[in-house]
Every structure is written in structure tokens, then in C-alpha cells.
Amino acid sequence: MIRICSLLSSAILLLSACDVRSQQSGKEPMQIITQGSFAVGGTKLVKPGNFDVQKALEPAGQTLHGDHAYAFYQVPVNAKKYPLVFLHGAGQSKKTWETTPDGRDGFQNIFLRKGYATYLLDQPRRGEAGKATVGAELATTYDEQFWFTQFRLGNYPDYFPGVQFPKDAASLEQFYRQMTPNTGAFDQNVIADAISKLFDKIGQGILVTHSQGGGPGWSTAIKNANVKAIVAYEPYSGFVFPKGELPAPIKSSGLFGELKGAEIELSDFMKLTKIPIVVYYGDNIAKEPTKIWNSDHWRSGLEMAKLWAATINKHGGNATVVHLPEVGIMGNTHFPFSDLNNMEVAAHLADWLIEKKLDR
Amino acid sequence: MIRICSLLSSAILLLSACDVRSQQSGKEPMQIITQGSFAVGGTKLVKPGNFDVQKALEPAGQTLHGDHAYAFYQVPVNAKKYPLVFLHGAGQSKKTWETTPDGRDGFQNIFLRKGYATYLLDQPRRGEAGKATVGAELATTYDEQFWFTQFRLGNYPDYFPGVQFPKDAASLEQFYRQMTPNTGAFDQNVIADAISKLFDKIGQGILVTHSQGGGPGWSTAIKNANVKAIVAYEPYSGFVFPKGELPAPIKSSGLFGELKGAEIELSDFMKLTKIPIVVYYGDNIAKEPTKIWNSDHWRSGLEMAKLWAATINKHGGNATVVHLPEVGIMGNTHFPFSDLNNMEVAAHLADWLIEKKLDR
């Protein structure tokens, strides 16, 4: 029996030759060697005093573990050397990278099928990593038409012409429901500390960030040399420059006003010049200043990204900014990886990983 | 090429014969046909007024979607007819069912390998389903030594002799970090509504609950005939009885005091008599009233469960209470499904599913 099992197992390996068909039909099973989840990083606080089991509802002497990240990982058969570690953006969780609002495969499944191990994070104080060392007051906020516009589905209630977002009500509802609140204040250092601990645990890998995750992404790569590359989708805030090289703030009619970079030590900045970095932006971003605030908000982000990449490269680095419409990929929102054309967006990233020899 | 792929795919099916070896080594890949996530159920609120895209940070006319559940699902090849739908307990998320605190497979992987599709839920106002229609104030709470004791790892700092929980510090840290707060008040009806919507979407299945999930579990089965069976690990509150048949409260030295059932209409109660139900409790639960509060807390739960099952069965139902030590499974905490002997705990459940013909 064991002999038969062994032979069959070998046969499975041959199935990798069927990858092309697999991706077309989506019906071949994914071969997952192992999957699971864990908390990583974080802080432990202790209340002064001595714990008395007969007064167990009193805090004296009790602990509070918080500010860790949560990771769900999957490793496919014959996984490539570097796993992809995915960090969501503001108001999001690892759901960002899973099923799209209209029910198609997100980057989680797409890159598993391409042979990459995946780690999907809930950052500290978000989602299943909700336990925090700081309190929070959660208010009910009516803001979904703002997010529709901010995230460039269109100018509510109008979708942008040709936008790569499904226009049925059920998909939009899924999109709204995938937001989930902070359970403690956003803190870039707390997040970068936890993700750095993740890279201590798993070893070398590639960090893929979205939006607000960009800032913690750069910080993580500065902290931890196990970050072998960064892929950043639509970062806005958090761009770092060497002391003395900070560009002027970029004015914008966006609702968050002008966009500033931040100064760091040159020695830290130089760590970002040692790894390949690609930064992606979608469509409907203005080329010149405009009063259309969503379009202008992301114009300031894209302009800052270009200044930043130029600074990286001036110091000997290897950073590329890809404005997707300029390479013929049209109509993307702030979430290119879950848009209707996300297979095309993924293919562009896969090619970049091959070009940088990160796909071995 | 396609012919070869087809032959190889057929070969994979034969691998199910290797299940025993697979579970022992844990090294054969899991064959996942499809996996993904979605929000389900919930409420939509609208702020009075008209949305003006030029005043997009004002709430007028904007919406708030909240109170949905989040589900992550996986379907293995040759999946059995009924998926298992897993609902966590108080202060937990779907993490409960994933990797154990010491890094072994949880029920997610164990039952995928047994051929069941799995749906893991974050209930409304928890984890990645954090968006709520009510506000919340989150305080930092020092209470982990309480939970150590309440969840019957032992009487802190002592572990129970023979307890099925790993005694290394890293495992205990993982256990503490898997808790995550409510982002809105616990509401059994909100939870049951969302899970009932899940069963509308996926069709017939088996609901597996833990602890505080028990109450929403009974409510879901009353709401939705697609719930074909319930498996409840260590339910405490939420037992329902027909009007006029409510037992007296059970006094306890547990820190939550006496335990009461709740009255519902007989016509609703009768729906619980139409499906097989099994309720499991672990070890270190007192047989008689005791001042050891954790042991006595769960004594009241176990006693109430027995009264409840007797009432179900008196009305023609099919409910079983399994006190694990009485069937020779010793040392379990409040989390039998992630304890050191969780393969044995899973085997007992798998046998029950076979006995009830729920494994087809």
C-alpha cells in the first residue's frame, strides 16, 4: 500500500506540467503541502501586583499580550524559494487578497497557483490580530460613498468609464463589507516590528503591500534583511527620504491635503537601495493638478512615488514605478489586485519577479 | 498533454486510499478544489440626507454596512455532501479552528484531510467581520491568568495534572494572542441571522460551535432547516427550553454565578428535535458542587446540557452529551479541538458523523 501511495505521490509532481491548463480552467485542485496560522511579534504588559486565583477578575498581576500580527499561510507543492507576504491597507484585513468582491480568485489563489507560498497578514490592531495594548473608541461611521470615490471606483454615484470594478450591487456590498476597523491606533512602528518578527521566523521572502501598508513595508525592509524585495500597490503616505533630501510637500485638492515625505538616516535609507522594488498605480489618476479630489489625491501619491524612486535609484538602488495605464493596463481602481483584470495585473507582477530572478 | 493531465488527475483520486498514511505523516498535499472568502448577512444603515461628492467627509446620505459574518472556505477533492461550518466562542475568531497553539493541525486541516469542506467564521463584530452598526469602547484588559483558569488549563499558575495543553511558554503565548475583542456588543440574534444567511447561500451543512457559539448555534438551526446537525464543544450559556419546561437555575461557585436556561416557543424548540446533535465536554469538570470555581462553572454547564438533551429527547429528538473522560479521552481543556490529543477528539467526532450517516 505504501509503495502505491509513493508512486501516486510522484505522479502528482508531474501535474505541475499541467499548470497552464490549470490556470485556464481553475478546476485543477491546488496542491497544498501545509497551511496554518500563528500570531507573531507584539508586546506583553503586566499589571503590577500578584495574581490571586481566588480574585481572578481583578487585574493585579495579570498579563495582556497584544500588538502582534496574525498570519495565515499556505505552501504549495514545489514552492518557489521566496514566499509572498501580503500586507493590507487602511481599513482592510487579509480579506483584501482573498476572493474578489465579485467572487473570483484574488492574489492569494492566483499566486498559490503560480507556485508561491503565501502569508496573508492582519496587521496589529486589525482583524484577527485585534488584541491591542492601547484602548480604542469605535464609532459608527457613515462613509462608504466617500470610500467609493477615494478608492477610485468613480465619483459617486458614477463609476468611471471603463473602470475594472463590477457594477452589480452584490459586488459593491462585498467591497464595503470587507472593511474592518482599527481596534487600537494605527502605529507604523508597531506594525513594522511585528512583520519584521515574521521575517525572522520564516526567513527570506517578498513583501507585497497595499496603500497604507506601504509605509510599514519600507520600515520592515529597513529593519530586516530577510525582505528580499518589495511590491507596493498604490502607497500614499509613508515615503522616506535621506536627511537633507526631503522634497517639498506636494499640494493636492485631495481630502487629506498636501502630501509630505519623512526624513530618515541615510544609513537606513541605503538599505532600501539593496533590494528590487516595484510600485504600482492604477488608472484615473490626474496628470496635472485638478479639482477632482480623488484623482488629485492619487496624483500627489504617484508624483511622490516617482520622486522617491528617483532618490532610491540616485543612491544606487533598483526601484521602478509602474503606472498601469502607461503599460496598457487600463481602468484600475485603488485595488488593482482584485479588479476585473487582476489576472493581467498579476501577470505583470509575475513577469517582474522573473525579471528580478525572484521566482526560483 | 491534456490526455496526460487527465490521467494524472484520475490518479489523484486513488490517493484517497492513502488517507491513513497521509494523516500520520501530514506530508501528503491537501487537494483543494476551491477556496475563498466572503461576507454574509448583516445590515445596511443609511444616514438621512443627500450625499454630495464635494462634501464626502460629511455623513449625509452615506451608508454603513455592518454586522455581517466573514467566512473562509475550502473544498477538498471528492468532498463529502455536508460541509462543516465552524463558529468560535467568546473572545475568539476562526483562528480557534486553525493551527493549534503548539503548531499542529487544528480541526480545519484535520477535517479537510478527512474529506469535509470547511467554512470558518468570524462572527459579526469580531475579527475580519469587525464592521458593526453599533459603537464600542475597547479597554485594555489584564485578564489572561483568569482565562488560563476559566479555560481549564489549570488553576493558575498550576496546570492540571495530565492536562492536554503544551506547557512551553511559546504555546501559551500563542494561546493568549489568539483572543481578539468584540468590535460591537455580542448579540446572539445578529450572529444567528448572519449564519442563517450563510446556510441559505451554501445549502445543507453541519454546524460546529464552541462555547459561547452554542447559543447562536441553536438559534441558527431553529431559523434554518439547512442545518442538518449540530456539534457543540463546551457550550455554557444559551440553552433553550420550551415554555413551561425551563429547569431551575443551577447554582455554581463559578465567577459568572448561577446558570439559567431560556424559554422559547415549543414550535421553535421542536425544530431542534429534527436533527442529530452532539455536545462535548472535556476534563477537570466537577461531578459535585465545589468551591474550585473553574471546575464548578463547567459543572453547571455540563449539568444544564444534560437537562437540555433530556428535554430534546423527551420530545422525540436525538441529542447526546459526551463527557470525554467517560469515553476514555482524558485531560481536555475548554478547547478539546486544539488540545494535544485533538486527533483523538476529531476521531470521536468523525465516528459520530459516520454513525449519523452525515459523512456521505
Side-chain angles (χ1 to χ4, degrees), chain B residues 322-336:
Chain B
V322 178
H323 189 193
L324 290 170
E326 293 175 8
V327 296
I329 300 178
M330 315 302 286
N332 283 105
T333 73
H334 184 50
F335 292 70

Side-chain angles (χ1 to χ4, degrees), chain B residues 258-274:
Chain B
E258 67 180 18
L259 176 55
K260 296 177 182 175
E263 278 190 332
I264 61 172
E265 296 292 336
L266 177 62
S267 57
D268 282 338
F269 182 85
M270 288 304 292
K271 294 176 184 171
L272 296 175
T273 68
K274 309 303 182 196

Side-chain angles (χ1 to χ4, degrees), chain A residues 147-159:
Chain A
W147 290 117
F148 177 107
T149 309
Q150 174 75 4
F151 289 158
R152 301 198 324 281
L153 280 57
N155 289 303
Y156 191 88
D158 301 318
Y159 288 92

Side-chain angles (χ1 to χ4, degrees), chain A residues 39 43-45 51 61-68 128-132, chain B residues 91-92 95 101 141-151 153-159 165 168-181 335:
Chain A
T43 302
K44 172 189 170 183
L45 302 180
F51 176 72
Q62 298 208 54
T63 56
L64 164 58
H65 288 79
D67 296 353
H68 45 270
E128 295 176 18
K131 206 172 175 186
Chain B
Q92 301 282 322
K95 175 73 178 85
T141 308
Y142 297 75
D143 59 5
E144 291 170 342
Q145 285 63 36
F146 161 72
W147 290 117
F148 177 107
T149 309
Q150 173 75 4
F151 289 158
L153 280 56
N155 290 301
Y156 192 87
D158 301 318
Y159 288 91
F165 193 90
D168 61 297
S171 296
L172 187 57
E173 181 177 339
Q174 285 290 320
F175 184 70
Y176 289 151
R177 292 191 187 280
Q178 78 182 41
M179 295 194 81
T180 196
F335 292 70

Side-chain angles (χ1 to χ4, degrees), chain A residues 19 53 98 148 190 232 246 294 316 320 332 341 346:
Chain A
D19 265 1
V53 74
E98 297 169 358
F148 177 107
V190 166
L246 190 64
N294 52 353
T320 308
N332 282 104
N341 62 345

Side-chain angles (χ1 to χ4, degrees), chain A residues 233-299:
Chain A
Y233 285 96
E234 299 223 344
Y236 171 72
S237 57
F239 286 105
V240 288
F241 294 84
K243 280 187 177 167
E245 299 186 47
L246 190 64
I250 300 177
K251 293 194 190 311
S252 170
S253 68
L255 300 189
F256 297 100
E258 67 180 18
L259 176 56
K260 296 177 182 173
E263 278 190 333
I264 62 172
E265 296 293 335
L266 178 62
S267 57
D268 281 338
F269 182 84
M270 288 304 292
K271 295 177 183 170
L272 296 176
T273 68
K274 309 304 181 196
I275 56 174
I277 295 173
V278 63
V279 184
Y280 285 104
Y281 288 86
D283 206 345
N284 296 300
I285 296 174
K287 288 190 170 57
E288 302 294 333
T290 167
K291 291 291 178 199
I292 300 172
W293 59 261
N294 52 353
S295 185
D296 208 53
H297 172 89
W298 297 106
R299 176 193 58 79

Side-chain angles (χ1 to χ4, degrees), chain A residues 76 80 84 86 106-118 233 342 345-351 353:
Chain A
K80 294 174 188 292
L84 300 176
F86 291 94
F107 267 26
Q108 178 183 40
N109 288 2
I110 291 172
F111 279 91
L112 281 169
R113 290 191 182 279
K114 289 182 189 291
Y116 289 90
T118 62
Y233 285 96
N342 67 341
V345 173
H348 196 284
L349 174 54
D351 287 344
L353 293 168

Side-chain angles (χ1 to χ4, degrees), chain A residues 5 18 30-32 35 37 39 53 63 65 70 74 98-99 109 122 128 131 136 138 144-145 174, chain B residues 5 18 30-32 35 37 39 53 63 65 70 74 98-99 109 122 128 131 136 138 144-145 174 293:
Chain A
C5 294
C18 309
M30 288 184 281
Q31 316 280 332
I32 306 294
Q35 66 175 24
S37 65
V53 74
T63 56
H65 288 79
Y70 161 90
Q74 294 182 288
E98 297 169 358
T99 305
N109 288 2
D122 283 352
E128 295 176 18
K131 206 172 175 186
L138 305 188
E144 291 170 341
Q145 285 63 36
Q174 285 290 319
Chain B
C5 294
C18 308
M30 288 185 280
Q31 315 282 331
I32 305 295
Q35 66 176 24
S37 65
V53 76
T63 56
H65 289 79
Y70 161 89
Q74 294 182 288
E98 297 169 359
T99 305
N109 288 1
D122 282 352
E128 296 177 17
K131 206 172 175 187
L138 305 189
E144 291 170 342
Q145 285 63 36
Q174 285 290 320
W293 58 261

